[in-house]
Amino acid sequence: MHKPRMQPLASFDIASLQYLDERGQTTQTLPDFATPDALVAHYRQMTLTRMVDGRAVKMQRTGQLGTYPSSLGQEAIGVGVGAAMGGEDVYCPNYRETGALLERGVAIEEIYAIWGGDERGQNFRHAREDLPLSVPIATQILHGAGVAFALKYKNAHLNEPARVAVASGGDGATSRGDFYEAINLAGEWKLPLVVVINNNQWAISLPRSEQTACKTLAQKAIAAGIPGLQVDGNDVIAVRQAVAEAVGLARNGGGPSLIEAVSYRLCDHTTADDASRYQSKETLRDAWSREPLVRLRTYLDSAGLWGDNQEEELQRELTQTLEKGVRNYKETPKDAATAMFDHLYAALPEAFLEQYQQLQGGG
């Protein structure tokens, strides 16, 4: 049987980036931003993220918060993304973003308010134009493409400074049509959009291996004609460097990028889940050996930048910061019951008028 001769038209490679290995040792020269002060600051923010996160789980268990999605083991991604963005940029987050929110200046009490059911928590005092957390899967990536289009238009036609939209999602988001539509649009229109995928190996209880046949999630960028890079998501230096380069490319008219940050979810999907039903103890134990806080702490210790005294002082400082945030959350007066309508409709539909009046009367 005749076998037709075919000529290759294109070939692609997916690179991987890492600066600190699992033992906290450098694998290459660190980037310029990775000064001692910057790395200590990142360690502080990652530690605070874990503390805020852990308290949120306890508060949910005691009825002080609603269902909460922990970011345990993924702190380097959120902190790295937040640190790489400019204050003028726009963040379009998914729901597992405690570290990025803190890095963007969102207050602890605002984070707790969100998960306590108070939409006023989404009205960030500092990151004024960042979008609210998105619980539906991958929709925020489409929102990010829309925001990026608006930013590009304002830069080109209204002479506003160049700004970038950064959208985040989980590995499961890359299996949704919204994701593909967003990166395809961004690639065709060269939008200033950076998409960061937290590949924590689980889409609720579905493992990464059963979501897609792709060897990497970064290679999904190829179909959109945009750069794709995989980074070690437990290495905050790699995450910040990759996102910073992508943000710089987008800001200078180079178009969008996709970054896959490989990590592992060391916790339940949310407080409504029991991951012990589907996670093996062996895999979880192995993942703990690669977790981001110990990795960075090990490097800081070996470089003479950290020690037990500094750690004790940091724990005292952050405990006070955390307790102040918890206190502020608990002391915030509850929003009116009618807020469920007030935050949703500019003009209340007549069909809801009776319900609204009942809520006003406390009925």
Side-chain angles (χ1 to χ4, degrees):
M1 182 177 179
H2 173 68
K3 185 176 181 180
R5 183 174 61 186
M6 294 178 284
Q7 297 294 329
L9 293 178
S11 60
F12 306 93
D13 293 306
I14 297 298
S16 179
L17 181 65
Q18 181 192 68
Y19 288 97
L20 294 182
D21 65 16
E22 298 175 10
R23 297 172 296 171
Q25 298 182 353
T26 58
T27 59
Q28 59 178 306
T29 302
L30 299 184
D32 291 341
F33 78 81
T35 63
D37 286 347
L39 294 183
V40 168
H42 287 345
Y43 179 70
R44 179 191 184 281
Q45 287 295 86
M46 290 164 61
T47 303
L48 178 61
T49 298
R50 185 164 291 188
M51 293 173 70
V52 170
D53 201 73
R55 176 61 69 87
V57 173
K58 293 178 181 177
M59 291 170 71
Q60 190 279 332
R61 300 303 190 202
T62 55
Q64 300 172 75
L65 292 181
T67 301
Y68 177 79
S70 175
S71 58
L72 183 63
Q74 299 144 85
E75 296 87 356
I77 299 175
V79 171
V81 169
M85 295 177 63
E88 73 280 7
D89 296 327
V90 179
Y91 191 41
C92 308
N94 73 329
Y95 49 81
R96 202 181 303 277
E97 297 299 339
T98 298
L101 295 184
L102 290 171
E103 190 68 28
R104 295 285 288 165
V106 176
I108 294 172
E109 56 265 32
E110 290 177 319
I111 295 173
Y112 288 156
I114 294 169
W115 299 109
D118 189 338
E119 287 298 326
R120 293 175 298 178
Q122 304 268 32
N123 187 20
F124 307 132
R125 292 194 292 271
H126 295 290
R128 294 296 299 157
E129 293 190 304
D130 285 2
L131 270 57
L133 298 188
S134 176
V135 173
I137 306 302
T139 56
Q140 73 280 1
I141 302 175
L142 267 178
H143 301 158
V147 170
F149 175 82
L151 297 179
K152 182 176 182 178
Y153 180 90
K154 289 183 175 183
N155 175 244
H157 299 285
L158 303 178
N159 295 318
E160 292 193 6
R163 302 164 67 194
V164 178
V166 177
S168 61
D171 42 293
T174 69
S175 298
R176 300 284 299 180
D178 310 65
F179 165 80
Y180 289 102
E181 293 168 12
I183 63 172
N184 183 70
L185 181 69
E188 175 60 25
W189 289 356
K190 294 196 71 173
L191 299 180
L193 174 68
V194 177
V195 178
V196 181
I197 296 300
N198 175 353
N199 178 6
N200 66 18
Q201 312 302 320
W202 294 98
I204 308 181
S205 58
L206 187 69
R208 155 75 175 82
S209 60
E210 296 182 23
Q211 294 177 50
T212 177
C214 289
K215 185 174 182 180
T216 68
L217 301 183
Q219 73 195 66
K220 296 188 177 187
I222 295 171
I226 67 177
L229 174 68
Q230 184 183 89
V231 302
D232 186 336
N234 292 328
D235 175 4
V236 69
I237 302 174
V239 174
R240 175 173 170 177
Q241 177 67 13
V243 176
E245 289 186 1
V247 166
L249 179 69
R251 197 183 310 283
N252 292 311
S257 299
L258 173 66
I259 297 170
E260 173 195 3
V262 180
S263 62
Y264 195 87
R265 200 187 75 209
L266 298 175
C267 52
D268 300 328
H269 171 66
T270 69
T271 49
D273 176 43
D274 178 8
S276 66
R277 297 174 300 150
Y278 51 84
Q279 280 184 345
S280 74
K281 293 181 180 180
E282 294 76 14
T283 302
L284 190 60
R285 187 182 309 114
D286 181 61
W288 270 104
S289 69
R290 301 190 301 273
E291 66 105 332
L293 263 73
V294 169
R295 183 181 304 197
L296 183 55
R297 166 73 192 271
T298 300
Y299 171 76
L300 294 174
D301 282 346
S302 64
L305 302 173
W306 203 251
D308 291 341
N309 291 337
Q310 291 99 322
E311 184 69 24
E312 291 175 6
E313 177 58 31
L314 178 67
Q315 292 293 328
R316 283 194 296 269
E317 174 202 342
L318 295 186
T319 296
Q320 293 176 357
T321 300
L322 174 61
E323 294 303 330
K324 180 180 178 181
V326 172
R327 186 167 60 253
N328 288 343
Y329 165 67
K330 291 182 177 180
E331 292 177 354
T332 299
K334 300 298 183 183
D335 205 356
T338 54
M340 70 175 74
F341 294 113
D342 297 333
H343 291 301
L344 190 60
Y345 296 105
L348 185 68
E350 186 175 349
F352 298 131
L353 183 58
E354 182 179 354
Q355 295 181 44
Y356 192 88
Q357 292 172 341
Q358 288 176 344
L359 289 172
Q360 280 184 314

